[in-house]
Amino acid sequence: MFADWPILSLLIWLPILGGFLVLAAGRDAPHVARRLGLAVAVATFVASLPLWFAFERGTADMQFQELASWIPAFNVNYHLGVDGISMPLILLTTLITVVVVIAAWESVKDRIAYYMAAMLVMEGLMIGMFAAMDAVLFYVFFEAMLIPMFLVIGIWGGPRRVYATIKFFLYTFLGSVFMLVALIWMYIQSGSFLIQDFHALQIGLTAQILIFLAFFMAFAVKIPMFPVHTWLPDAHVEAPTGGSVILAAIMLKIGGYGFLRFSLPITPDASAVLDTLMIVLSLIAIVYIGVVALIQSDMKKLIAYSSIAHMGFVTLGFFLAFYIYSNTGDWEGASLGIAGGMVQMISHGFISAAMFLAVGVLYDRLHSRQIADYGGVVNTMPWFAAFFVLFAMANTGLPGTSGFVGEFMVILAAFKADFWIAFLAATTLILAAGYTLWLVKRVIFGAVANDNVAGLSDMNRREFFLMGVLAFFTLLLGVWPAPLLDVMNATIDHLVAHIAQSKL
Amino acid sequence: MNFEIPNFLPAVPEMFVLGMACLILVIDAFLPDSRRDVTYGLVQATLVAAAGLTLWLMGPETVLTFSDTFVKDPMADILKVAVYVTSFLVFLYSRPYLMERGIHKGEFYVLGLFAVLGMMIMISGHNLLTLYLGLELLSLASYALVAFWRDNSRATEAAMKYFVLGALASGLLLYGMSMIYGMTGSLDIAVIAAQLVAADESLNIPLVFGLVFLVVAIAFKLGAVPFHMWVPDVYDGAPTAVTLFIATAPKIAAFAFLMRLLVEGMGPMHADWQGMLIILAVLSLAVGNVIAIAQTSIKRMLAYSTIAHIGFLFMGILAGTDSGYASAMFYVIVYAITAAGGFGMIVFLSRKGYEADQIDDFKGLAKRNPWFAFIMLLLLFSMAGVPPTVGFYAKLAVIQAAVGAELVWLAIVAVIFSIIGAFYYLRVVKMMFFDDPQEGAEEPVQPSGALATALSINGLAVLLLGIFPGLLLSLTHYAIIG
């Protein structure tokens, strides 16, 4: 019944226009800005629900398509559509935006209307990017979202915010312009900017490798992979809580989404040639960055490094496909790895959001992110401690939480590829447990460390609600991932069938 | 000898502007200083009426007249309209600046109008002499404009530099033209092109010799590296209102000049001038973007940014394809609109005795006037080529042209330097949004009514053209390809 509605356009433009409305109406009235911002975010979330319910499972076709001519001179169209990969990410975006808007309720005091507007505009741009079927449209959304994020970190961030935000902008800009050249090159070859036409393009191996590297620059920076990850800890540490949540929960996923949408299907042969490199980089992220996370003294930095390590699992899952094929001669394990990576992305969206919110809760009270400033928080904030431990467990991949499902699937796929890959990947279970539980031990348990901690008050209703929602989804996905897998299966099978065919 | 009455119709806008410029010159002489707004109003009305005439005469066919020395084609029509629009904006932005400094004189507008006429002739020149005359009319008016704030020693110095180097460039241009004339026996653009196709191979070296001088002269006028030295000095030294003028509309005319000379005239020698333009483009991109980082004066920064933009412009042209020319045309129009807004912001922040020409003067603008900080943000991101502003599509178009001409390496060089370029634009954004205002400049600023409206429209146009770039892109494609 929803198939004829321009639902994707609504999801893109409602928050963008709503954001400007918040700016206009709430500039001098913080209360109006908060309420209006929440109303727009909730309305967008509600409007995104039909995507889930009306989505036709069992087909890899693009659904909810919209098509309008946009730049006829270059054959660029306003072409939207979602499949099993992008649809869950859009829902994640609309949900997390609601969380972020509520989280900013009291903690953002300066220029709240601008903050709300930036978040809402960013939401619209991110949805547009996930829904774009045209490469130029994709690129426009992909780049445009840098502007609000640049402002969010730069205006509401911590002491080194200017350094962090310029680094963030230039890193991502650097990555994406090479992708632009690659997209244009493919347009010259195919005469169209439609991403699906790029998928069908026959490209020689040298060109494929160059295109792969161009995409790699764009998406590896975004996700981020070792060794281009260094912007992330800086950006996370300096960003305000909401900015960190958006960054970790959604923006990192854009890199993963890009690998699935562009790198694998457009350059399968180059992916097959370079998969060892990708697997090695993923394993470095998992093992080395995991060790780096252990020694952090700043909570946000620790979670940021943990994000990089978890994203290593995503790229590992994606690029195992060719390794598995050359080892076992069939593509079944490949689907498992890719599906595992996808589940990991969604799950990480909930868990990292919750972890950053938890740090935000503490930061709002004591204005410190240093682990050393805390200790024995459980004594004064029992509810908070309960949630914190839950999400810490999810972060380590405890069965029953969503963190387990994705990691388990990827490790299972890795076993089909090579025992040692699986072995190294599985070390994350130990490393993540190490850095996360040690964090819990130092912050939550033990004796009350100082007078500040003794004076802490537990979470209020608003914070409780946010944590509760995220905990619900973390557990739901942990015990019952089937609905999510159902949505993705057809698309992933189609993708694997596509990359199984050489373009040479 | 037969004498034919030429077809005047295609040149009606030029004749109208010439007549009005002379008339306004006379009227202005009889006006007291307090009534200079009459001159201003007449000049703006002339631009509007000229735009009306050009639009009225617009047509898809190419018309030659005055013994084939003058051409009217869709490219000329569209570029002329772009010149009127940018000049209109420039005069509008300039008025408060001139009034506050007590130099609100009629000469500014009349010289400006003569410069507009020069640009129109450059756009429609179909003969080496017509093109040269148009260029000189524009240049002489520009020299005088830079010098017209007599009491200001920096402006006078800038005018001297501009004049000497400009005269040198004109000399080089004439020398190159005479070489071409010697080899082909004609001044007519179309005849030259035909002669070149049929030219004997032994003429190749003298022809390339002449071509080098043409390219050097064009590079001088546009400010491409290594002939760019005058650009920062003149932009910085001239009164902001004049910088605003010489940095915007003349670039559109220079694009047309380049099209007429190199593409229509020397088109058969594309392989020769392509290499020259590649060198100029790469050097301009590199020097413009890298040196801009070190600037503390925003006028100098924008001057170097212009140099970098010229590099992009060359990229579109040197591709040598119709879509390349169309993308360069799109680029130059977008550049003119964006640069007008950028310099307009400097006018807006400056006051009597305070030029606001340092980058630091933009500090904390978001606190002093959030709306115009947003407008400047749009303009800067457009210059950096970040979507959804129109500057992105300009870059997309020229990169597309370069890739289409199998110059992928050049496209990659260009994007690398545009990342470097992004840094100095970001730095201004950073100062506006993340820094506190400078001491003594904390109070809110509000531009006067007309300036505020025009700047807002200019900034929003950069955004709206970015969201709906199809029309302008189609228009430039229509102008070149038909």
Side-chain angles (χ1 to χ4, degrees):
Chain A
M1 72 179 271
F2 296 104
D4 299 334
W5 292 15
I7 187 165
L8 292 172
S9 282
L10 181 74
L11 289 179
I12 295 169
W13 296 105
L14 178 68
I16 292 179
L17 297 177
F20 283 105
L21 185 69
V22 169
L23 203 56
R27 250 179 69 186
D28 305 313
H31 291 289
V32 178
R34 288 191 188 101
R35 292 199 181 118
L36 201 58
L38 181 62
V40 173
V42 170
T44 313
F45 175 65
V46 171
S48 70
L49 291 177
L51 284 185
W52 178 265
F53 293 108
F55 187 85
E56 199 179 317
R57 277 96 174 143
T59 167
D61 291 342
M62 285 289 174
Q63 304 183 30
F64 305 98
Q65 284 200 32
E66 290 170 39
L67 176 62
S69 181
W70 186 35
I71 312 175
F74 293 149
N75 195 10
V76 172
N77 295 306
Y78 178 78
H79 198 162
L80 303 174
V82 289
D83 61 7
I85 294 172
S86 47
M87 191 273 281
L89 291 169
I90 290 180
L91 285 178
L92 180 69
T93 308
T94 56
L95 175 72
I96 294 294
T97 306
V98 175
V99 168
V100 165
V101 164
I102 299 178
W105 212 258
E106 281 150 23
S107 59
V108 174
K109 295 184 175 69
D110 175 34
R111 294 188 262 184
I112 179 84
Y114 295 85
Y115 183 87
M116 293 286 180
M119 288 296 171
L120 291 171
V121 169
M122 205 146 49
E123 177 187 17
L125 296 173
M126 287 187 294
I127 293 172
M129 191 224 57
F130 286 127
M133 289 177 66
D134 186 283
V136 170
L137 192 64
F138 170 86
Y139 189 84
V140 166
F141 284 123
F142 185 84
E143 287 272 279
M145 79 181 74
L146 292 181
I147 300 175
M149 197 65 195
F150 176 75
L151 296 176
V152 165
I153 300 177
I155 296 178
W156 294 278
R160 292 175 70 232
R161 60 188 199 273
V162 172
Y163 168 78
T165 197
I166 290 186
K167 189 172 178 182
F168 158 77
F169 192 100
L170 290 181
Y171 250 84
T172 28
F173 196 54
L174 171 81
S176 54
V177 289
F178 293 101
M179 172 171 75
L180 180 66
V181 177
L183 294 176
I184 291 172
W185 188 84
M186 286 186 285
Y187 161 71
I188 304 279
Q189 307 301 313
S190 70
S192 148
F193 269 117
L194 189 66
I195 296 172
Q196 280 161 331
D197 288 348
F198 291 170
H199 289 185
L201 209 55
Q202 299 292 321
I203 310 172
L205 185 62
T206 318
Q208 271 198 39
I209 288 178
L210 292 174
I211 293 172
F212 181 88
L213 292 177
F215 284 135
F216 177 75
M217 297 275 276
F219 302 131
V221 165
K222 206 91 180 175
I223 200 168
M225 289 178 84
F226 178 86
V228 284
H229 63 281
T230 62
W231 64 270
L232 185 77
D234 284 319
H236 266 313
V237 168
E238 300 305 328
T241 303
S244 287
V245 171
I246 292 275
L247 204 55
I250 309 167
M251 283 213 172
L252 304 190
K253 311 304 178 292
I254 293 165
Y257 172 75
F259 279 126
L260 289 187
R261 181 67 81 221
F262 291 90
S263 303
L264 285 177
I266 293 176
T267 60
D269 302 295
S271 307
V273 171
L274 295 173
D275 69 339
T276 318
L277 172 74
M278 298 300 285
I279 290 172
V280 168
L281 289 180
S282 305
L283 289 174
I284 292 177
I286 293 170
V287 179
Y288 165 71
I289 299 293
V291 175
V292 171
L294 267 174
I295 56 154
Q296 297 306 316
S297 57
D298 180 310
M299 287 190 274
K300 261 187 153 177
K301 223 166 190 165
L302 191 152
I303 302 168
Y305 279 111
S306 138
S307 285
I308 302 171
H310 282 96
M311 287 298 113
F313 256 91
V314 175
T315 47
L316 181 66
F318 291 169
F319 284 94
L320 275 174
F322 302 96
Y323 214 98
I324 295 174
Y325 177 70
S326 62
N327 242 19
T328 63
D330 72 49
W331 288 97
E332 245 171 67
S335 302
L336 187 66
I338 293 174
M342 270 302 292
V343 173
Q344 174 80 338
M345 290 215 290
I346 303 286
S347 147
H348 182 259
F350 299 132
I351 298 171
S352 65
M355 294 291 278
F356 279 115
L357 280 178
V359 176
V361 167
L362 289 178
Y363 185 80
D364 284 346
R365 286 165 174 70
L366 292 191
H367 298 284
S368 167
R369 294 181 306 258
Q370 295 303 313
I371 298 172
D373 288 344
Y374 294 91
V377 170
V378 68
N379 297 305
T380 44
M381 300 175 73
W383 276 110
F384 173 79
F387 277 117
F388 196 91
V389 171
L390 169 74
F391 290 118
M393 291 300 176
N395 202 37
T396 60
L398 192 77
T401 64
S402 62
F404 172 74
V405 183
E407 286 181 16
F408 183 69
M409 288 167 80
V410 172
I411 292 174
L412 215 55
F415 264 113
K416 293 198 177 190
D418 188 290
F419 169 76
W420 290 106
I421 294 177
F423 175 79
L424 285 171
T427 57
T428 192
L429 297 173
I430 300 161
L431 283 170
Y435 57 74
T436 320
L437 296 182
W438 195 26
L439 172 75
V440 170
K441 177 199 164 262
R442 285 178 291 173
V443 173
I444 302 292
F445 297 123
V448 172
N450 51 41
D451 292 349
N452 287 335
V453 176
L456 282 173
S457 54
D458 208 346
M459 294 195 293
N460 57 29
R461 288 215 315 267
R462 183 177 54 81
E463 290 160 344
F464 189 89
F465 171 73
L466 294 177
M467 290 294 192
V469 168
L470 291 171
F472 171 75
F473 281 106
T474 306
L475 292 172
L476 180 71
L477 192 56
V479 295
W480 196 37
L484 179 62
L485 291 171
D486 270 355
V487 165
M488 301 185 313
N489 267 342
T491 310
I492 289 173
D493 287 343
H494 177 77
L495 176 70
V496 170
H498 180 86
I499 61 174
Q501 280 164 356
S502 168
K503 286 184 164 189
L504 298 176
Chain B
M1 188 177 161
N2 284 335
F3 191 80
E4 222 179 306
I5 294 183
N7 177 9
F8 288 110
L9 200 60
V12 163
E14 279 79 1
M15 290 187 276
F16 171 73
V17 171
L18 173 64
M20 284 305 286
C22 296
L23 188 68
I24 295 170
L25 190 60
V26 175
I27 295 175
D28 184 65
F30 291 96
L31 285 174
D33 259 348
S34 56
R35 306 281 304 278
R36 291 291 164 226
D37 275 347
V38 175
T39 317
Y40 167 76
L42 280 171
V43 167
Q44 295 290 56
T46 306
L47 287 174
V48 173
L53 284 171
T54 304
L55 289 173
W56 175 56
L57 291 168
M58 204 169 221
E61 67 283 347
T62 301
V63 187
L64 291 171
T65 184
F66 298 122
S67 315
D68 295 353
T69 60
F70 187 94
V71 62
K72 188 190 96 64
D73 54 9
M75 182 180 95
D77 292 335
I78 292 169
L79 286 178
K80 276 178 203 169
V81 173
V83 165
Y84 305 140
V85 171
T86 30
S87 305
F88 186 90
L89 272 179
V90 165
F91 292 146
L92 206 158
Y93 293 157
S94 303
R95 187 167 151 266
Y97 180 91
L98 299 171
M99 283 165 77
E100 277 175 0
R101 279 157 193 76
I103 47 173
H104 192 232
K105 306 266 192 239
E107 295 96 289
F108 179 82
Y109 300 113
V110 176
L111 283 170
L113 207 52
F114 274 113
V116 168
L117 180 63
M119 293 181 226
M120 294 165 72
I121 294 171
M122 280 166 81
I123 290 170
S124 272
H126 193 255
N127 183 295
L128 296 186
L129 277 184
T130 337
L131 284 168
Y132 180 75
L133 286 176
L135 179 69
E136 281 306 283
L137 183 54
L138 166 63
S139 302
L140 289 172
S142 308
Y143 306 145
L145 274 173
V146 175
F148 109 110
W149 193 358
R150 284 180 313 211
D151 310 334
N152 187 314
S153 57
R154 287 181 71 205
T156 317
E157 185 195 328
M160 272 309 286
K161 269 184 201 155
Y162 193 20
F163 177 71
V164 173
L165 288 173
L168 181 66
S170 295
L172 292 174
L173 180 69
L174 275 183
Y175 188 57
M177 284 177 169
S178 67
M179 298 289 292
I180 304 294
Y181 175 69
M183 295 304 122
T184 60
S186 175
L187 290 170
D188 187 291
I189 293 289
V191 178
I192 290 174
Q195 289 285 334
L196 287 179
V197 174
D200 189 73
E201 211 159 288
S202 65
L203 289 180
N204 219 359
I205 290 176
L207 276 173
V208 171
F209 194 73
L211 180 66
V212 169
F213 282 98
L214 290 189
V215 170
V216 168
I218 292 171
F220 244 118
K221 291 290 176 189
L222 276 169
V225 179
F227 309 104
H228 65 289
M229 273 73 132
W230 62 273
V231 178
D233 289 345
V234 172
Y235 279 28
D236 191 33
T240 307
V242 177
T243 311
L244 179 62
F245 187 73
I246 57 178
T248 50
K251 304 292 178 202
I252 299 176
F255 163 77
F257 187 76
L258 208 167
M259 284 294 290
R260 300 284 182 216
L261 264 185
L262 286 193
V263 176
E264 289 175 16
M266 310 298 285
M269 298 183 71
H270 169 249
D272 294 299
W273 54 257
Q274 183 184 45
M276 302 181 202
L277 289 196
I278 288 179
I279 296 171
L280 293 171
V282 171
L283 286 177
S284 300
L285 286 165
V287 172
N289 278 319
V290 172
I291 299 194
I293 294 175
Q295 302 306 314
T296 53
S297 150
I298 186 135
K299 279 162 86 180
R300 288 187 89 86
M301 190 198 95
L302 288 178
Y304 281 104
S305 130
T306 302
I307 294 170
H309 284 296
I310 296 300
F312 266 104
L313 181 68
F314 278 170
M315 255 176 75
I317 293 167
L318 63 86
T321 56
D322 279 346
S323 79
Y325 305 140
S327 65
M329 182 172 165
F330 182 73
Y331 199 96
V332 77
I333 294 174
V334 167
Y335 163 78
I337 297 172
T338 316
F343 284 106
M345 284 298 297
I346 304 177
V347 168
F348 148 54
L349 279 181
S350 70
R351 272 178 309 286
K352 187 174 167 58
Y354 173 66
E355 286 296 324
D357 54 3
Q358 297 302 308
I359 300 178
D360 285 349
D361 293 328
F362 279 80
K363 274 188 178 170
L365 185 60
K367 294 206 172 86
R368 301 171 65 199
N369 190 327
W371 171 250
F372 284 99
F374 172 68
I375 294 289
M376 185 66 181
L377 171 102
L378 291 177
L379 293 166
L380 287 167
F381 277 120
S382 180
M383 290 184 203
V386 179
T389 57
V390 68
F392 164 69
Y393 302 92
K395 293 221 160 61
L396 173 76
V398 290
I399 291 172
Q400 193 258 115
V403 174
E406 300 190 336
L407 291 165
V408 178
W409 69 269
L410 184 61
I412 289 174
V413 169
V415 295
I416 289 174
F417 282 115
S418 71
I419 298 162
I420 297 172
F423 172 75
Y424 60 80
Y425 298 119
L426 278 184
R427 197 174 53 166
V428 181
V429 175
K430 170 226 153 200
M431 289 189 175
M432 291 194 304
F433 282 86
F434 310 156
D435 290 354
D436 285 324
Q438 285 184 308
E439 268 180 52
E442 288 99 348
E443 77 285 2
V445 278
Q446 182 59 40
S448 59
L451 181 63
T453 318
L455 262 181
S456 304
I457 292 173
N458 194 331
L460 290 179
V462 164
L463 180 63
L464 284 177
L465 282 173
I467 297 173
F468 304 104
L471 180 69
L472 188 56
L473 265 168
S474 301
L475 215 59
T476 55
H477 272 242
Y478 158 78
I480 304 284
I481 301 161

